[in-house]
Amino acid sequence: AVGTAIEGGEGAMGEPSTSTLEVEVKAKGSAKEGVKRRYESWPGNETFFCGGACVTGPYYWGIVGTCLLILIPCVVFVVFVAWPLYEDLRDSDSGGGSKEIGAYVLLAVSIALPCLSLSSLFCSGCMDPGIIPRAPAPLGNTDHIARTRHVEVNGHMVLVRYNDTCNFYQPPRAHHCSVLNDCIERFDHYCPWVGTTIGKRNYRFYLIFVFSCTVLCVFTFACSAYLVKIRSDDPDTSVGEAIRGEPGALFMMAYVFIGIWFVGGLSGFHIYLLSRNQTTYENIRYSYDRNSANPYNKGCLANWAEVFCVRVPARNCDFTEVMPEKEENPTAAL
């Protein structure tokens, strides 16, 4: 191609000749051919969408099921509980008093809480949790590489392990997720309800999802019970008749009563972990409170601020990056 460009020479007034322009166009075309994005040859088990911008686990349908478990009951709640309550409160105070304002607030919260839960669900489930790119495989025999070594963290010695799959010593708090088949920074756990691993980058959104679901359960149960109470306040209506007359409220109370034990317990557990700056994996594996001091504990307020008051860390790897197709290891250039 270079030889052809030289032979073509320059035309009049020093402008490139036609043959030179043709060669340049062909060169650019060949540069675009045979390339692909980094995620297309990624060695892990992740599933990618939107050209690598969205990253989730191999069993991503779990997030769809969780979405339906939230969305369907919330539609039932808004139609059969929140809207009747809104109309009752609005009609009982047509003068623009506190009840009418409360009616608008109730309807707004009934819509905002499910939106918060669903948005945080998809944020936690569709973003890179903190994947650490693999290092190139070492040449020759690896028996000389020590399996473990100690590093200092905040004045404490922490044991780190060599990972034969990713070819490096795992950073402190990192762990190789067997589902994604990649090392994750600040690994917490793999969550089938979210469809991916919870790590350093999506832990905040996972907590918002769990906490908002807990508040949503309490809110829907209270509103459903209040609607039944309003109906039973009628002198001609007994409590049993009021319950039978509001099947939507009865369904919601039974549904969230079951769900609150799960998300409520999970919220309490993660409040405990967050206050002590532990991950789920560390709590099960190391038991800092019983066996040794936690090197990551900065105090309750500082621990919470470390999760909620900092920017989301940048990705360790840009999966949308275009790379030459001949590059066999997509992590080699990182």
Side-chain angles (χ1 to χ4, degrees), residues 90 93-97 100:
R90 184 192 58 185
D93 191 2
S94 57
E100 185 174 1

Side-chain angles (χ1 to χ4, degrees), residues 93-177:
D93 191 2
S94 57
S98 59
K99 286 188 176 181
E100 185 174 1
I101 296 174
Y104 287 108
V105 171
L106 181 144
L107 194 60
V109 173
S110 300
I111 297 174
L113 273 179
C115 290
L116 177 62
S117 297
L118 292 174
S119 60
S120 57
L121 168 65
F122 281 98
C123 281
S124 60
C126 296
M127 70 183 302
D128 176 358
I131 299 169
I132 305 175
R134 301 181 185 186
L139 300 177
N141 196 326
T142 61
D143 293 341
H144 65 283
I145 300 177
R147 297 296 94 186
T148 62
R149 69 181 182 184
H150 286 83
V151 297
E152 185 176 346
V153 177
N154 299 326
H156 299 267
M157 298 306 295
V158 175
L159 181 72
V160 296
R161 292 175 170 81
Y162 184 82
N163 188 301
D164 290 300
T165 302
C166 297
N167 306 309
F168 56 67
Y169 287 97
Q170 295 173 343
R173 314 198 85 176
H175 181 70
H176 192 89
C177 176

Side-chain angles (χ1 to χ4, degrees), residues 279-302:
T279 65
T280 301
Y281 179 79
E282 290 169 349
N283 182 264
I284 297 172
R285 180 73 180 268
Y286 298 112
S287 301
Y288 287 127
D289 294 339
R290 295 187 295 273
N291 300 332
S292 59
N294 182 359
Y296 311 106
N297 191 356
K298 302 176 182 178
C300 183
L301 293 180

Side-chain angles (χ1 to χ4, degrees), residues 23 35 59 69 71 78 80 93 96 103 108 114 166 195 204-205 222 224 249 252 277 288 290 329:
V23 171
V35 298
Y59 312 114
L69 288 174
L71 184 61
V78 171
F80 295 103
D93 191 2
C166 297
R204 173 192 308 178
F205 300 102
S224 300
M252 289 306 306
N277 206 334
Y288 287 127
R290 295 187 295 273
N329 184 2

Side-chain angles (χ1 to χ4, degrees), residues 103-314:
Y104 287 108
V105 171
L106 181 144
L107 194 60
V109 173
S110 300
I111 297 174
L113 273 179
C115 290
L116 177 62
S117 297
L118 292 174
S119 60
S120 57
L121 168 65
F122 281 98
C123 281
S124 60
C126 296
M127 70 183 302
D128 176 358
I131 299 169
I132 305 175
R134 301 181 185 186
L139 300 177
N141 196 326
T142 61
D143 293 341
H144 65 283
I145 300 177
R147 297 296 94 186
T148 62
R149 69 181 182 184
H150 286 83
V151 297
E152 185 176 346
V153 177
N154 299 326
H156 299 267
M157 298 306 295
V158 175
L159 181 72
V160 296
R161 292 175 170 81
Y162 184 82
N163 188 301
D164 290 300
T165 302
C166 297
N167 306 309
F168 56 67
Y169 287 97
Q170 295 173 343
R173 314 198 85 176
H175 181 70
H176 192 89
C177 176
S178 59
V179 180
L180 298 189
N181 195 28
D182 272 317
C183 282
I184 309 297
E185 280 190 288
R186 200 186 184 278
F187 174 84
D188 192 88
H189 69 290
Y190 175 81
C191 181
W193 300 97
V194 176
T196 190
T197 299
I198 306 303
K200 183 177 182 178
R201 298 189 72 249
N202 62 349
Y203 185 55
R204 173 192 308 178
F205 300 102
Y206 173 76
L207 290 179
I208 295 174
F209 165 65
V210 173
F211 294 161
S212 62
C213 283
T214 302
V215 175
L216 181 60
C217 286
V218 174
F219 177 75
T220 54
F221 187 91
C223 290
S224 300
Y226 184 62
L227 180 62
V228 173
K229 178 186 178 300
I230 291 178
R231 298 293 184 261
S232 64
D233 285 343
D234 190 331
D236 299 329
T237 306
S238 64
V239 175
E241 292 173 340
I243 293 176
R244 289 191 295 271
E246 296 294 343
L250 178 61
F251 166 78
M252 289 306 306
M253 286 191 291
Y255 186 83
V256 300
F257 180 79
I258 297 172
I260 192 65
W261 293 101
F262 174 71
V263 294
L266 200 58
S267 294
F269 178 61
H270 278 282
I271 288 173
Y272 167 81
L273 294 179
L274 187 55
S275 299
R276 288 163 174 76
N277 206 334
Q278 290 185 20
T279 65
T280 301
Y281 179 79
E282 290 169 349
N283 182 264
I284 297 172
R285 180 73 180 268
Y286 298 112
S287 301
Y288 287 127
D289 294 339
R290 295 187 295 273
N291 300 332
S292 59
N294 182 359
Y296 311 106
N297 191 356
K298 302 176 182 178
C300 183
L301 293 180
N303 293 339
W304 280 75
E306 185 179 277
V307 174
F308 288 104
C309 300
V310 296
R311 297 183 63 179
V312 176

